[in-house]
Amino acid sequence: GQNIDQPTEMTATEGAIVQINCTYQTSGFNGLFWYQQHAGEAPTFLSYNVLDGLEEKGRFSSFLSRSKGYSYLLLKELQMKDSASYLCAPRPGAAGNKLTFGGGTRVLVKP
Amino acid sequence: GAVVSQHPSWVICKSGTSVKIECRSLDFQATTMFWYRQFPKQSLMLMATSNEGSKATYEQGVEKDKFLINHASLTLSTLTVTSAHPEDSSFYICSARDGQGRAEAFFGQGTRLTVV
């Protein structure tokens, strides 16, 4: 099975930086996804890390450490529209196809 | 590319009736589709994984006779909520993966089901 742990909620100010941590335990490992979900909408894909290290994509970066079972999503220059839930989803090895999510982190950006 | 269309976006039905939700991949062939439900302010809960042409794999605690999943083609999967009860009211979302090199799954718009 899988065990995924993320903070429930974070608050930050517009223009600031926020780091959302995710720790996980899976049977096998095939990469880790981050998705963004606005209230009442479907999730949208943000990033997929397979190898250790930091991957930067505009204002969003994602980091992975496979040995530590740890990832983070870094949101820079926060904008009001970044207020959403951020979902961490490790992709297990043996189960292959399954895509299960952590509880998600609700980020609230204040002016 | 990678568009997943889910229909209907919302539905209200009476207790005891059945509701069918469709999930279509519009510009790719979806070898695997996932069905989730989500209660307010909670995360997505995986209900089942379906592969084209074979029976769906249900998660523990999800009644397969109540939530019927059919993945009859590479572009269509359906979820039928049978004998719906008010506690089945939820947001149901499908996602699809194409198995052609892209690892990520793409999500439909979701269906808000209200059972009265």
Side-chain angles (χ1 to χ4, degrees):
Chain A
Q2 287 192 100
N3 218 356
I4 304 165
D5 195 32
Q6 304 177 233
T8 310
E9 208 166 278
M10 301 179 77
T11 303
T13 309
E14 201 174 9
I17 298 173
V18 72
Q19 177 174 315
I20 306 168
N21 296 322
C22 171
T23 56
Y24 62 88
Q25 291 172 316
T26 63
S27 338
F29 182 76
N30 237 345
L32 185 140
F33 298 98
W34 282 96
Y35 281 82
Q36 178 193 59
Q37 186 182 25
H38 286 99
E41 298 180 14
T44 54
F45 169 76
L46 290 178
S47 66
Y48 177 54
N49 292 61
V50 179
L51 301 176
D52 289 351
L54 184 69
E55 291 202 10
E56 299 186 67
K57 208 187 274 187
R59 295 189 297 114
F60 293 4
S61 304
S62 54
F63 171 84
L64 176 67
S65 168
R66 289 171 296 172
S67 61
K68 293 181 179 174
Y70 168 69
S71 174
Y72 69 71
L73 182 69
L74 194 70
L75 315 180
K76 291 181 270 191
E77 298 167 26
L78 279 172
Q79 300 176 9
M80 299 298 290
K81 67 178 182 179
D82 297 330
S83 292
S85 286
Y86 292 85
L87 310 172
C88 165
R91 186 181 182 192
N97 281 332
K98 250 184 171 182
L99 184 63
T100 55
F101 291 89
T105 299
R106 200 172 311 123
V107 171
L108 176 62
V109 181
K110 293 186 171 177
Chain B
V3 177
V4 175
S5 175
Q6 190 173 335
H7 178 81
S9 52
W10 62 270
V11 57
I12 301 172
C13 71
K14 290 185 177 179
S15 284
T17 60
S18 295
V19 173
K20 182 187 278 189
I21 302 169
E22 290 188 351
C23 181
R24 292 180 186 274
S25 56
L26 297 187
D27 52 2
F28 67 98
Q29 293 186 325
T31 52
T32 306
M33 284 187 169
F34 307 96
W35 285 97
Y36 300 85
R37 66 190 292 182
Q38 186 175 36
F39 292 106
K41 296 194 176 180
Q42 293 187 24
S43 189
L44 296 161
M45 189 190 78
L46 180 66
M47 299 174 68
T49 303
S50 75
N51 293 293
E52 185 265 339
S54 59
K55 287 184 179 179
T57 303
Y58 289 80
E59 293 300 298
Q60 200 171 8
V62 178
E63 299 173 57
K64 59 181 72 174
D65 293 331
K66 180 166 181 63
F67 299 99
L68 301 178
I69 291 170
N70 187 345
H71 192 163
S73 78
L74 283 171
T75 58
L76 174 64
S77 177
T78 60
L79 167 68
T80 302
V81 183
T82 63
S83 187
H85 287 278
E87 54 264 33
D88 297 326
S89 298
S90 188
F91 191 49
Y92 292 86
I93 313 179
C94 71
S95 71
R97 181 183 281 148
D98 67 8
Q100 291 293 321
R102 285 185 298 199
E104 66 268 31
F106 301 93
F107 284 81
Q109 309 94 308
T111 297
R112 187 157 303 283
L113 170 64
T114 303
V115 184
V116 297

